[in-house]
Amino acid sequence: MAYAAFRSIGAYAPQKILTNQELSDMVDTSDEWITKRTGILERRIAAKDEKNSDMGAKAAEIALQRSGIAKEDIDLVICGTISPDYFCMPSTATIIAKKVGIKGAMAFDISAACTGFIYSLSIARAFIESGMKKNVLVIGSEKLSSITDYTDRGTCILFGDGAGAAVICATQNKEEAIVDINTGADGEYADLLMTPNGGSGSAHDALEKETAGCYMQMKGNETFKIAVRTLTNDVKDILEKNNIKSEDVQHFVPHQANLRIIKAVGDALKMREDQVVLTVAKYGNTSGASIPMAINDLYEADGLKKGELMLLDAFGGGLTWGSALIPFSPLK
Ligand code: ACO
């Protein structure tokens, strides 16, 4: 039987920095409020002509180069995103594949908001374990600034742009394989986080009449409470199911939505500070890109070594959630 190994990571963050101070000149907020309530100090914003696929392709190039796998051998490309280049078609995954020079591989997008990277990893693993694919390029890429309402202080302070990518490959060695991935969703809470207009669920003329509906809308406080509860239970489940204690995990890499959510979940799981990977202060919430960007930061700081166990967890619009236990298994 084939197993799925997490071979490499790459990421890209746009150059432009948007600070809390700059945001407080745009909406009624303050650096102090944002820092205290979210832990975010700044976020990156893509250039006007910089597309989601440009960022995704840059992250993918790095992950491919570090993987030791030739582009020609990639047979599946998955992109987790809620801010695709084009809303219906073509998928951002096909455009990224073209930009990095991958031809003929199956390619598609996954819409699971902040859980997009974990959902994509679970699909990559399923394709590999079933024997249908061998080398999968998984990308989480977001240009959230294009769907953020910069007059809404409840959301615009949170989000940023960026991309991350990983190469997942078939292996016969169980020691280096992804241990487990949990995923779930509950449409009961669909209205907590949504972009109401722009799809077939809204009237055709709603786009012109209510443009604000094309931006992300969020019931932040309700989302916050459900996030803490769901994430804690989900992570406890995956650890128990696999007979792994939280102290056996080298790196806890949570979705970077809000420092208070990360702290509450980390405390409930009895994670030590040195186990928790934090990038929320400098990138804000980059939805599907946040986990691979955080793994990449850890890797580039020389903090991620072969065989070390990562615990990922995420929560986002849908509602969706997921967690994963993954050893880092580079070829080189
Ligand atoms: N600056 C100043 N005041 C603000 C701001 C702001 N930017 N935003 C809200 N407030 C005010 C509110 O109006 C409210 O005022 P009131 O008491 O006079 O009514 C007060 O602050 C408290 O508002 P809450 O919404 O209760 O603030 P909270 O502490 O919950 O923080 C936040 C808001 C940061 C949005 C938080 O709820 C959060 O992080 N939620 C979860 C976000 C999340 O994880 N989303 C899921 C992933 S995102 C995705 O899937 C794309």
Side-chain angles (χ1 to χ4, degrees), residues 290-307:
S290 99
I291 288 180
M293 287 175 83
I295 298 173
N296 185 69
D297 265 37
L298 183 69
Y299 176 82
E300 290 190 349
D302 213 15
L304 181 60
K305 301 281 185 265
K306 188 171 185 155

Side-chain angles (χ1 to χ4, degrees), residues 29 33 37-38 113-114 153 218 220-221 257-258 260-261 285 316-317:
T29 189
W33 194 96
R37 299 285 181 124
T38 71
C114 307
R153 69 177 182 173
M218 181 174 70
N221 195 268
N258 183 320
R260 284 158 57 215
I261 297 179
N285 180 347

Side-chain angles (χ1 to χ4, degrees), residues 32-162:
E32 193 201 349
W33 194 96
I34 302 171
T35 307
K36 201 166 149 210
R37 299 285 181 124
T38 71
I40 300 168
L41 305 180
E42 57 189 39
R43 64 292 289 143
R44 300 298 182 91
I45 302 295
K48 227 175 180 169
D49 60 353
E50 192 169 31
K51 294 197 171 111
N52 178 324
S53 60
D54 295 324
M55 296 187 285
K58 282 184 178 144
E61 291 275 11
I62 299 168
L64 279 166
Q65 182 230 315
R66 288 175 181 163
S67 72
I69 304 291
K71 291 174 191 173
E72 295 72 30
D73 293 331
I74 296 290
D75 48 11
L76 173 59
V77 180
I78 311 173
C79 180
T81 188
I82 51 165
S83 50
D85 282 8
Y86 306 103
F87 263 106
C88 300
M89 58 185 170
S91 71
T92 303
T94 59
I95 303 171
I96 293 173
K98 153 95 176 58
K99 285 182 177 169
V100 302
I102 294 171
K103 279 206 179 100
M106 181 184 193
F108 57 85
D109 290 356
I110 285 298
S111 171
C114 307
T115 321
F117 187 70
I118 294 182
Y119 267 46
S120 302
L121 286 177
S122 75
I123 296 163
R125 180 184 183 223
F127 267 100
I128 289 172
E129 289 190 350
S130 69
M132 287 174 73
K133 303 289 176 191
K134 284 196 167 53
N135 299 304
V136 186
L137 174 61
V138 173
I139 305 137
S141 186
E142 301 284 11
K143 188 172 179 178
L144 295 180
S145 59
S146 67
I147 55 165
T148 297
D149 180 353
Y150 285 99
T151 64
D152 173 16
R153 69 177 182 173
T155 53
C156 73
I157 55 149
L158 300 171
F159 299 109
D161 299 335

